[in-house]
Amino acid sequence: MRHVGPLVRLSLRELLVRRTRSLLTGLSVGVATAGLTVFLSLGAGLRQAVGAQVDGIHP
């Protein structure tokens, strides 16, 4: 665990030096997370809607 300090310093320095790259990486992670959430929600909603239609047709 002695090596954690220098790694944290190196990481923070690189984040500050490569600001644009860090910003774009963070943005892409956010967009991917939002997209995944939307698609999973859409799939769950469609599954529920189709199930309701099938239950309505065959009581």
Side-chain angles (χ1 to χ4, degrees), residues 8 25 40:
V8 170
T25 300
L40 289 175

Side-chain angles (χ1 to χ4, degrees), residues 1-9:
M1 295 305 275
R2 292 181 294 179
H3 303 291
V4 173
L7 288 176
V8 170
R9 279 195 301 275

